[in-house]
């Protein structure tokens, strides 16, 4: 057939073709407004709260916590450098979180720091005042109601001066004085009633600070906790022998010094400082070894990891905050006896989880460092729970997950063993993690596979463990060969299989291979359909049957929809009888719409989007792997979609009607 000719096949109102052209574009535009909304349930996983509400208002647990302050009546006030939706300072109490975010200038604008001016590593509380030293070196003061965490007011601020990069890293307040520690070791002492400067001094290497009731200072310096006067003079009294002190506080009940040890023991340590010259360890709270105790990686209330801060209220209840990287926040309240009272959690930032059916009707959802139990028969919000943390930053300090986020997760069971693959937000290959021998839930880093010198957008791991890449013009498959003696996956990187991009594609952006049927799905661009922006899945999706047998003729090719910004979908996945493609931004005002097609014909089936269970909210789809789908043993479908804006993933539970 002449390349200028176009053959079209009309299938139930959807235009499908093997070779694309202008006539396809015109035909599709006539159908674009006809969308059938499927019947499904919207679940969310990875955040305690649903994240409903407009910008600046609602409930969700923030992406990360740099430090916490615990008040006498049991509120936990946090500081962090970033939360995607702006909750850099959160107030948590009785398992709830403030719905109206703290905002500099009451949110009127002019903020120099993220989170309406609240991005910081340093927060302090005295009475009904909250102090935030933000990343713009502004010291903010808020009035709040300790009896109602939803009531606050911005009062005023001052500039702490100095080098704009010399931000505050710690802060503590008592008896009308506020002590601010900067990266340089400078300590500023200011009055809490007007923020005026009293004096400054320097403590080299200071990382955290707590003011005792007698006005003396306890300061983390390296792996020691040292004692100073309020004027900065070194005093007798040192806490040594803590492997990795990361945070300290003075208890609101017994006035003990509380130390978070993020070393091997992963415990919260309590020191009697009634004789401050000789601090005495009186309690080690939490299971010795943290996640390593018992079944490694298995989550239990007293198995701590990546400690960020701790404190007590006036009744002796204990509060512990944990999290190693962005997208990991766990805050727990314990009774004095050690019984868990409540917990709030965020497990996602730029993350998209994958789902595995471990036995009929039993599901596990895998992130880059977590395993989440999931039961779709339970109501949204009650259908998930944190089962395991798969990262051990103490035993494996070189694990790249300790520092660099590759939040796209794919889990495969290869020859009876779980293998976790992670991908970056944008271009790149795969990092591979293998699990320790059962029953451990810890996965260790085994290596990285990519195509060198390529901004790699098209990548996939099929169900047999083979890795597929495309640099845009050619397709590469690395065969999974099994495991070596150390349990690491083996790939023949020297002898990949390669193919040229099939017609009609001039650029391949995504690909999925189904080895059980020898079917390859490709998303990309053609001479007629060009990219409106970078990083998308492409404007055309095609299916090729018998790919490994040599067929290069598409069974069909379909033109993908565009969102309100004229962007094609970010990503697609194939599961069972259907293809699921997720948009980047809003479509007619609806965020992150998922378009569903029949895999055998390319026929459009309908759409899904965030339901009222989450207030209809979602952020942009930012990730190459922003959607994963699974056909369950019962014939239902679970469709997992990233939702970065308010720190979670969405899971659509859909049961197709019988045809």
């Amino acid at each position: 057939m002449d390349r200028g000719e176009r053959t079209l096949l009309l299938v139930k109102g959807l235009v499908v073709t093997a070779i694309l052209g202008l006539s396809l574009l015109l035909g599709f535009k006539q159908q674009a407004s006809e969308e059938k909304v499927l019947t499904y349930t919207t679940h969310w996983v990875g955040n305690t709260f649903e994240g409903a509400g407009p910008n600046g208002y609602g409930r969700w647990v923030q992406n990360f916590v740099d430090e916490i302050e615990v008040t006498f009546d049991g509120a936990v006030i946090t500081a962090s450098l970033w939360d995607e939706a702006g909750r850099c300072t959160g107030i948590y109490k009785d398992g709830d979180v403030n719905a109206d975010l703290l905002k500099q200038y009451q949110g009127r604008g002019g903020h120099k720091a993220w989170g309406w001016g609240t991005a910081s590593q340093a927060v302090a509380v005295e009475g009904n005042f909250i102090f935030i030293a933000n990343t713009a070196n502004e010291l903010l003061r808020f009035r709040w109601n300790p009896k109602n965490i939803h009531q606050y007011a911005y009062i005023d601020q001052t500039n702490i001066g100095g080098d704009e990069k010399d931000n505050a890293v710690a802060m503590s307040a008592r008896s009308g004085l506020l002590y601010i520690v900067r990266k340089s070791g400078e300590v500023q002492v200011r009055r809490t009633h007007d923020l005026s400067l009293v004096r400054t001094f320097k403590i080299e290497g200071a990382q955290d600070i707590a003011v005792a009731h007698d006005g003396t200072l306890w300061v983390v310096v390296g792996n020691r906790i040292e004692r100073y006067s309020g004027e900065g003079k070194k005093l007798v009294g040192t806490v040594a022998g803590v492997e990795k002190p990361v945070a300290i506080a003075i208890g609101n009940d017994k006035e003990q010094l509380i130390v978070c040890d993020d070393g091997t023991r992963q415990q919260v340590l309590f020191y009697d400082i009634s004789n401050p010259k000789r601090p005495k360890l009186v309690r080690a709270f939490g299971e010795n070894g943290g996640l390593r105790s018992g079944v490694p990686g298995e989550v239990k209330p007293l198995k701590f990891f990546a400690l960020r801060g701790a404190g007590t209220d006036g009744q002796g209840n204990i509060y512990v905050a944990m999290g190693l990287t962005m997208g990991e926040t766990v805050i727990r309240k314990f009774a004095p006896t050690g019984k868990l009272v409540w917990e709030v959690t965020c497990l996602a930032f730029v993350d998209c989880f994958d789902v595995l059916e471990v036995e009929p009707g039993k599901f596990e959802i895998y992130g880059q460092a977590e395993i989440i139990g999931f039961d779709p028969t339970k109501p949204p919000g009650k259908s998930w729970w944190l089962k395991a943390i798969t990262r051990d930053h103490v035993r494996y300090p070189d694990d790249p997950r300790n520092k660099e986020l590759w939040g796209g997760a794919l889990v495969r069971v290869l020859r009876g063993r779980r293998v976790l693959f992670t991908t970056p937000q944008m271009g790149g290959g795969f990092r591979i993690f293998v699990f320790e021998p059962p029953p451990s839930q810890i996965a260790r880093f085994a290596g990285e596979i990519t195509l060198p010198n390529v901004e790699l957008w098209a990548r996939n791991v099929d169900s047999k463990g083979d890795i597929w890449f495309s640099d845009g013009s050619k397709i590469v498959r690395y065969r999974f060969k099994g495991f070596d003696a150390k349990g690491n996956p083996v790939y023949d990187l020297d002898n990949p299989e390669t193919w040229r991009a099939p017609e009609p594609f001039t650029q391949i952006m995504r690909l999925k291979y189904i080895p059980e049927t020898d079917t390859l799905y490709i998303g990309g661009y053609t001479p007629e359909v060009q990219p409106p922006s970078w990083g998308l899945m492409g404007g055309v999706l095609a299916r090729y049957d018998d790919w490994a047998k040599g067929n290069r003729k598409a069974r069909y090719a379909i033109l993908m929809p565009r969102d309100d910004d004229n962007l094609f979908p970010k990503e697609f996945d194939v599961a069972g009888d259907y293809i699921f493609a997720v948009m980047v931004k809003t479509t007619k005002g609806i965020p992150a719409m998922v378009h569903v097609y029949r895999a055998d014909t390319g026929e459009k089936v309908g759409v899904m989007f965030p339901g009222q269970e989450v207030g209809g909210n979602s952020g942009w789809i930012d990730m190459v792997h922003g959607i994963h789908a699974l056909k369950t043993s019962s014939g239902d479908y679970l469709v997992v979609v990233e939702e970065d804006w308010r720190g979670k993933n969405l899971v659509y539970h859909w049961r197709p009607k019988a045809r």
Side-chain angles (χ1 to χ4, degrees), residues 92-269:
Y92 301 86
K93 187 178 181 183
D94 298 328
D96 197 8
V97 64
N98 58 304
D100 190 6
L101 301 194
L102 271 68
K103 303 181 183 75
Q104 183 186 31
Y105 311 131
Q106 301 296 114
R108 292 191 296 270
H111 319 292
K112 298 177 183 177
W114 183 251
W116 287 276
T118 65
S120 79
Q121 292 178 280
V123 65
V125 184
E126 187 174 49
N128 64 339
F129 289 99
I130 297 173
F131 305 90
I132 300 170
N134 70 16
T135 55
N137 284 342
E138 298 166 325
L139 177 60
L140 315 182
R141 185 167 63 146
F142 295 84
R143 180 180 290 111
W144 73 298
N145 182 355
K147 303 298 182 183
N148 185 348
I149 63 173
H150 305 289
Q151 293 181 352
Y152 82 93
Y154 165 79
I155 303 300
D156 56 9
Q157 67 184 62
T158 191
N159 196 293
I160 65 174
D163 186 340
E164 63 180 12
K165 295 182 180 180
D166 189 16
N167 299 140
V169 296
M171 190 159 54
S172 185
R174 192 177 300 279
S175 302
L177 293 177
L178 183 66
Y179 294 82
I180 306 168
V181 178
R182 305 176 77 165
K183 291 179 181 178
S184 64
E186 179 191 79
V187 179
Q188 291 189 1
V189 185
R190 292 179 176 270
R191 297 180 179 88
T192 58
H193 75 273
D194 63 1
L195 306 182
S196 63
L197 183 66
V198 178
R199 58 183 169 270
T200 65
F201 52 88
K202 197 160 189 175
I203 302 176
E204 293 287 351
Q207 302 165 40
D208 199 10
I209 190 168
V211 186
H213 285 258
D214 64 1
T216 59
L217 311 177
W218 292 90
V219 183
V220 177
V221 181
N223 64 351
R224 295 163 61 87
I225 299 101
E226 300 176 346
R227 182 169 169 254
Y228 291 82
S229 71
E231 291 73 32
K233 180 182 177 181
K234 182 77 169 8
L235 301 176
V236 176
T238 299
V239 176
V242 179
E243 183 180 351
K244 189 178 179 181
V246 293
I248 57 175
I250 300 297
N252 284 300
D253 56 338
K254 300 178 181 178
E255 303 179 11
Q256 293 173 337
L257 176 66
I258 303 170
V259 179
C260 291
D261 185 354
D262 195 39
T264 305
R265 66 193 304 166
Q266 291 289 303
Q267 290 179 307
V268 178
L269 310 178

Side-chain angles (χ1 to χ4, degrees), residues 509-649:
M509 296 300 296
R510 305 286 191 275
L511 75 173
K512 313 284 179 185
Y513 180 70
I514 312 300
E516 291 80 5
T517 58
D518 189 17
T519 305
L520 182 66
Y521 296 84
I522 295 177
Y525 298 107
T526 71
E528 298 87 356
V529 182
Q530 291 295 298
S533 186
W534 56 273
L536 307 174
M537 65 152 281
V540 177
L541 176 64
R543 168 176 169 159
Y544 298 85
D545 295 331
D546 300 322
W547 176 264
K549 297 182 180 68
N551 175 53
R552 299 296 176 264
K553 182 179 179 180
R555 180 172 182 172
Y556 58 77
I558 54 179
L559 183 67
M560 302 309 290
R562 295 178 185 257
D563 63 21
D564 293 339
D565 278 23
N566 204 38
L567 301 177
F568 292 119
K570 187 69 175 186
E571 171 66 311
F572 76 93
D573 200 8
V574 182
D577 301 321
Y578 296 94
I579 302 168
F580 304 86
V582 63
M583 308 307 293
V584 179
K585 300 184 181 180
T586 60
T587 304
K588 296 184 179 180
I590 297 173
M593 183 175 286
V594 176
H595 296 260
V596 184
Y597 304 86
R598 284 203 59 83
D600 55 354
T601 64
E603 173 190 355
K604 182 71 170 289
V605 176
V607 297
M608 299 185 288
F609 45 81
Q612 287 308 304
E613 299 94 334
V614 293
N617 279 344
S618 175
W620 297 350
I621 305 304
D622 291 324
M623 303 183 65
V624 172
H625 292 283
I627 186 170
H628 292 297
L630 173 74
K631 182 180 181 180
T632 74
S633 58
S634 67
D636 294 358
Y637 288 80
L638 299 177
V639 183
V640 183
V641 181
E642 77 165 300
E643 203 293 271
D644 301 340
W645 187 43
R646 292 191 165 176
K648 60 183 181 293
N649 274 200

